[in-house]
Amino acid sequence: MSRLARSEKVHVRAPGKLNVYLRVGCLLDDGYHDVATAYQAVSLYEDVRAYPADDFSVTFGGSIDTSALSTDGSNLAIRAARLLARVADYRGGARLEIEKNVPIAGGMGGGSADAAATLVACDTLWGTDLGREELHSLAAQLGADVPFALTGGTAVGTGRGDELSPALAKGQFHWVFALADFGMSTPEVYRELDLHRERHALDISPASPQPTVDTAVLQALRAGDSAMLAEAMHNDLQAPALHLEPRLGKVLELGEENGALAGIVSGSGPTIAFLAADVDSALELQVALSAARLTAVRATGPVHGARVITP
């Protein structure tokens, strides 16, 4: 065991994410869907601190209610640490302390950020030095959004969302997130999407088995043009999320009435992401949403992926 593993802690910060564009392919024989998405990492962060231990454990704190989170072996951060230990043939464990600021079950990849940060933290703590490529491979085994939490920035995801290609993004985009006081089940939203497509089979085009990201989205990101991006944003999961939780429609209307260039359900919801023209517009929108008794936070993107924070 290295001196670092005997005596030090490691602090890693990983970002939440936003799908500025999400196309979902048709239901495949294995019960899954391929997707085409444009991810952007945003400045709502999860902080993971890892300490040497004989076994694996996790505790939570932070700005959001974490009382419902599991702390047993089903927790994604614990699974990440155990997977790394198994692959690296490391015999010890880790005590994880996670400070959460990304909404739970909110469509922003908070659990995935925890897992990505844990991989980096334990790799550093234990001195296993697997390298980014192997960590990316482990991340893909943990969930579709975990590899992006490792890389951050802006990227196109295909397959299950874990096959990443970097995308150029100029400047900074200003976001306001309306956080719900409830979560949504991603599998349930996907099931509702399939039902929605069945109900409207005569009115909508059949989904492609291999969807792609619209070039207008990539052009907007590359130009750093918020107005252009607002026109191009899309999420196939928005309609089923709104069907399951109609109150989200009122939040979308409220944001767009108060200066947002556009609003979109983040991932499978229920978080709503509003794109603002600039920092002043974002601040005004945050105030308006807060006045309506919604929890609203501002963030910018793109930001870096999981990385060690030097004390």
Side-chain angles (χ1 to χ4, degrees), residues 1 53-56 85-86 88-93 126 128:
M1 187 182 294
D54 294 329
D55 204 348
F56 297 91
R86 185 166 65 251
D89 196 27
Y90 180 77
R91 303 296 178 171
W126 298 336
T128 45

Side-chain angles (χ1 to χ4, degrees), residues 119-265:
L119 288 175
V120 175
C122 289
D123 184 53
T124 305
L125 181 72
W126 298 336
T128 45
D129 196 26
L130 291 191
R132 282 280 164 161
E133 187 172 331
E134 192 159 359
L135 289 179
H136 189 284
S137 175
L138 298 184
Q141 296 178 45
L142 293 164
D145 291 338
V146 183
F148 178 68
L150 268 182
T151 60
T154 304
V156 170
T158 54
R160 299 290 152 81
D162 58 342
E163 299 170 19
L164 299 178
S165 302
L168 294 174
K170 179 181 176 182
Q172 194 173 64
F173 293 88
H174 296 273
W175 300 96
V176 179
F177 296 96
L179 310 184
D181 57 2
F182 58 91
M184 294 186 76
S185 162
T186 297
E188 186 178 355
V189 176
Y190 270 92
R191 281 194 296 271
E192 181 60 31
L193 172 65
D194 293 331
L195 291 173
H196 173 82
R197 286 172 169 172
E198 287 179 17
R199 286 193 298 263
H200 300 281
L202 297 178
D203 306 317
I204 59 177
S205 300
S208 166
Q210 292 183 311
T212 58
V213 172
D214 193 326
T215 56
V217 177
L218 302 178
Q219 290 169 352
L221 291 168
R222 191 162 52 242
D225 190 321
S226 296
M228 188 187 303
L229 181 60
E231 291 292 325
M233 290 195 308
H234 175 82
N235 181 4
D236 275 352
L237 297 180
Q238 181 158 308
L242 292 177
H243 187 266
L244 291 170
E245 288 289 350
R247 54 187 148 167
L248 296 179
K250 299 291 186 183
V251 179
L252 280 166
E253 291 174 10
L254 181 64
E256 292 175 358
E257 288 168 0
N258 283 277
L261 295 174
I264 191 171
V265 171

Side-chain angles (χ1 to χ4, degrees), residues 16-30:
K17 60 84 182 172
L18 166 69
N19 301 81
V20 298
Y21 186 89
L22 178 60
R23 282 284 184 196
V24 179
C26 60
L27 182 64
L28 301 175
D29 293 339
D30 61 4

Side-chain angles (χ1 to χ4, degrees), residues 5 8-10 49-53 55 93-97 125-126:
E8 297 291 337
K9 71 176 181 182
V10 176
R49 292 172 174 84
Y51 301 82
D55 204 348
R95 175 169 61 88
L96 305 174
E97 295 179 356
L125 181 72
W126 298 336

